Amino acid sequence: MKFETKCVQAGWEPKNGEPRVLPICQSTTFKFDSSQHVADLFDLKVGGHFYTRLSNPTLDAVEQRIAALEGGVGAMLTSAGQAASMMAILNVAHSGDHIISSSAIYGGTVNLFGVTLEKLGVSFTWLSPDATNAEIEAAIRPNTKAIFGETLANPALAVLDLERWAAVAHRNGLPLIVDNTFPTPYLCRPFEHGVDIVVHATTKYLDGHAMSLGGVIVDSGNFDWAASGRFPEFTQPDPSYHGLVYVETFGRAAYIVKARAQLMRDLGAQAAPMNAFLLGIGIETLPLRMERHCSNAQTIAEWLANHPKVEWVRYPGLKGDKYHALARKYLPRGASGVISFGVKGTRDDAMKLMDHLKLIKIVVHVADARTCVLHPASMTHRQLTDEQLIKAGISPTMVRLSVGIEHVDDLLADLEQAFAVI
């Protein structure tokens, strides 16, 4: 099936007389005819659902759809994007281990890694998304377990050179984990460029309507956990499953099975069936929405670039943008719907502009059908130090504009009247 068809059809194939639309299985539990069957489920000997904290038919169908869109061997929905990023790391690292991460990532992820996971004993080294191969190599330690980045950084809009970072990671026996939230698999399929694990905050474009919180981890199935020599948890017996060895039992799906069997089992950061249902509905229109997001954003970015009260515009779709060449390579269908720009003047001028918008709303969110605006330095990245803000590519006058699917002329008119005030 083509991508657009997968968005509508993948994951749910109704049998004779079954619902055409994926049902919501709003049940925590499932009934069985034999005790042995349940025992086999607990031992991972057979597939199926026995408790919604681990899996559920509605979640399973949406997971299969997302795996099909990304081209992976499996996926696992989580309660939020933060939970997906956390479990993606904890599935390969524990106390005493080390991770390399791009510094140009979402502020919440910076706090998750640099504060919470550091407290759990996982250390991080932060590198610019433009770091050279030599700089990446120099940061790798014997206890390094993964490299993390964002395909299109929030809100710096830096485009990660996926193939180059993946090549360095693989030369050193490491997986590359990438957050693909802003592009979605419609604009970029990271596995085709060497990425091993993808995460999304499905709350954003995949859902598309700001209705259902969620995240997802997708496993490419391409990383050789045994050959790396760095991951005994995949190649040695798991005592919590009677000595099961993940790479021997599950092959290419070892990573995603372990994430569910160990981490989801113990942490319980599962998505709700209703949220998974809403996510599945949102994905059906993903290609249509992303085309409009991209075309609207391109028009507005070009308009902002010529506005006398705008100091700078960051949007990879602009020809003069620092990441335009990488965007052409990795995002050929469009550079997504998020624009960052700097207002001429001060932090107060940027916030005054936002306060005078009418159609465009101030919202602590990004990447849905309705156009919204946010001031990263005082909102989403407020916990970061000045030094961290600089490394993340955030200035005091930066405004993050998430362009929706409204008519572009209405959005331009609203921006123009707000700029007239400052």
Side-chain angles (χ1 to χ4, degrees), residues 68-289:
L69 296 180
E70 286 284 11
V73 297
M76 183 179 74
L77 291 175
T78 64
S79 57
Q82 286 290 82
S85 295
M86 175 186 69
M87 288 199 276
I89 295 298
L90 292 182
N91 204 33
V92 296
H94 51 72
S95 179
D97 286 337
H98 171 253
I99 302 291
I100 295 170
S101 177
S102 166
S103 59
I105 59 175
Y106 168 55
T109 311
V110 173
N111 289 326
L112 169 66
F113 290 175
V115 178
T116 301
L117 292 188
E118 286 268 4
K119 289 180 180 178
L120 297 179
V122 181
S123 62
F124 286 80
T125 295
W126 305 91
L127 297 177
S128 164
D130 306 324
T132 65
N133 290 1
E135 288 171 331
I136 302 170
E137 294 265 7
I140 296 172
R141 307 173 186 172
N143 61 337
T144 302
K145 290 300 184 76
I147 298 178
F148 184 93
E150 290 183 354
T151 311
L152 184 57
N154 173 16
L157 301 181
V159 180
L160 196 69
D161 192 342
L162 301 177
E163 293 181 1
R164 185 170 65 81
W165 280 69
V168 176
H170 295 161
R171 279 199 304 270
N172 292 274
L174 298 171
L176 177 61
I177 304 172
V178 163
D179 185 327
N180 198 36
T181 296
F182 273 10
T184 81
Y186 181 69
L187 299 180
C188 180
R189 285 162 56 90
F191 295 155
E192 296 177 359
H193 302 287
V195 173
D196 302 292
I197 307 297
V198 158
V199 299
H200 290 269
T202 62
T203 317
K204 309 306 190 295
Y205 285 124
L206 285 179
D207 166 75
H209 301 87
M211 290 191 299
S212 61
L213 197 67
V216 70
I217 305 172
V218 191
D219 181 5
S220 71
N222 295 331
F223 190 79
D224 193 332
W225 303 100
S228 169
R230 289 178 177 262
F231 302 96
E233 55 267 63
F234 288 93
T235 60
Q236 295 179 8
D238 180 356
S240 69
Y241 282 105
H242 307 295
L244 178 148
V245 177
Y246 289 98
V247 294
E248 293 178 0
T249 306
F250 300 104
R252 293 184 64 207
Y255 176 91
I256 202 68
V257 171
K258 178 178 175 293
R260 187 184 304 278
Q262 285 187 346
L263 295 174
M264 190 60 78
R265 175 197 67 189
D266 295 342
L267 299 178
Q270 184 61 283
M274 184 66 189
N275 280 4
F277 172 80
L278 293 171
L279 171 59
I281 295 297
I283 291 173
E284 291 181 1
T285 60
L286 177 66
L288 302 174
R289 290 186 288 102

Side-chain angles (χ1 to χ4, degrees), residues 32-55:
F32 301 96
D33 292 332
S34 75
S35 300
Q36 186 58 50
H37 188 94
V38 181
D40 289 342
L41 284 167
F42 270 92
D43 283 345
L44 307 180
K45 292 180 178 178
V46 296
H49 312 286
F50 60 90
Y51 197 60
T52 288
R53 190 179 79 237
L54 282 99
S55 63

Side-chain angles (χ1 to χ4, degrees), residues 357-376:
L357 291 166
K358 297 177 180 178
L359 179 67
I360 300 169
K361 307 300 184 185
I362 299 174
V363 175
V364 184
H365 189 53
V366 67
D368 71 57
R370 304 162 191 82
T371 301
C372 58
V373 69
L374 182 144
H375 187 247

Side-chain angles (χ1 to χ4, degrees), residues 329-360:
K329 177 179 181 179
Y330 295 117
L331 306 166
R333 286 176 160 173
S336 197
V338 182
I339 303 167
S340 292
F341 65 93
V343 176
K344 284 186 178 178
T346 65
R347 175 192 289 244
D348 289 342
D349 292 319
M351 299 179 79
K352 185 178 181 181
L353 171 74
M354 293 167 53
D355 290 345
H356 282 84
L357 291 166
K358 297 177 180 178
L359 179 67
I360 300 169

